[in-house]
């Protein structure tokens, strides 16, 4: 059991990205994605807000376990981002689109 717990703690962004991509261990991927977003709202393997995008596309039945944390995400993100985080306006716009996708998903929970 201790080895499994160590595995959960030691997951990296790339690991969670692969879990979502391969639709494996989705419950764990959702949990870790929320943790990564709370550390860095721009969290993702390949682009800013990638985990937001993956959460928005995750199966609703798996997201329901995390309703409380997910409902808190939009306000937390709004309070922890600013314009200095992007070099280009289009990057910010794309990130905000991902935030909107998550808000829409949350409204369905």
């Amino acid at each position: 059991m201790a080895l499994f717990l160590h595995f959960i703690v030691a997951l990296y962004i790339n690991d969670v990205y692969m879990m979502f991509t391969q639709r494996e261990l989705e419950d764990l991927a959702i949990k870790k994605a929320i943790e990564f977003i709370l550390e860095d709202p721009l969290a993702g393997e390949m682009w800013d807000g990638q985990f937001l995008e993956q959460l928005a596309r995750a199966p609703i039945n798996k997201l329901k376990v995390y309703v409380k944390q997910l409902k808190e995400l939009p306000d937390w993100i709004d309070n922890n981002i600013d314009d200095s985080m992007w070099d280009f306006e289009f990057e910010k716009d794309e990130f905000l689109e991902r935030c909107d996708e998550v808000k829409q998903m949350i409204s369905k929970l």
Side-chain angles (χ1 to χ4, degrees):
M1 183 67 165
L3 181 60
F4 181 71
L5 292 176
H6 175 71
F7 168 75
I8 291 173
V9 172
L11 287 174
Y12 297 101
I13 287 175
N14 184 46
D15 300 321
V16 175
Y17 166 74
M18 292 306 293
M19 287 176 186
F20 276 116
T21 302
Q22 296 174 358
R23 300 259 182 229
E24 296 292 331
L25 302 169
E26 287 179 310
D27 293 327
L28 181 57
I30 292 166
K31 179 182 184 217
K32 293 303 286 185
I34 292 169
E35 289 177 18
F36 285 134
I37 292 167
L38 291 174
E39 290 175 18
D40 175 8
L42 305 182
E45 171 69 10
M46 314 237 347
W47 56 84
D48 292 345
Q50 183 177 18
F51 283 143
L52 290 173
E53 185 176 294
Q54 289 178 307
L55 285 175
R57 296 178 181 164
I60 291 290
N61 62 323
K62 298 206 182 232
L63 293 168
K64 288 184 178 183
V65 175
Y66 302 97
V67 170
K68 183 180 183 295
Q69 296 97 318
L70 291 168
K71 288 191 176 202
E72 294 171 355
L73 271 183
D75 288 337
W76 188 90
I77 291 169
D78 289 343
N79 292 326
N80 287 281
I81 60 170
D82 63 62
D83 289 340
S84 68
M85 299 173 92
W86 295 277
D87 293 327
F88 302 101
E89 192 67 26
F90 77 90
E91 293 172 324
K92 178 183 174 186
D93 293 341
E94 289 174 352
F95 176 80
L96 293 176
E97 286 176 22
R98 292 180 189 106
C99 287
D100 288 341
E101 287 178 26
V102 167
K103 289 175 185 176
Q104 290 174 10
M105 173 272 299
I106 291 169
S107 71
K108 296 175 185 175
L109 294 175

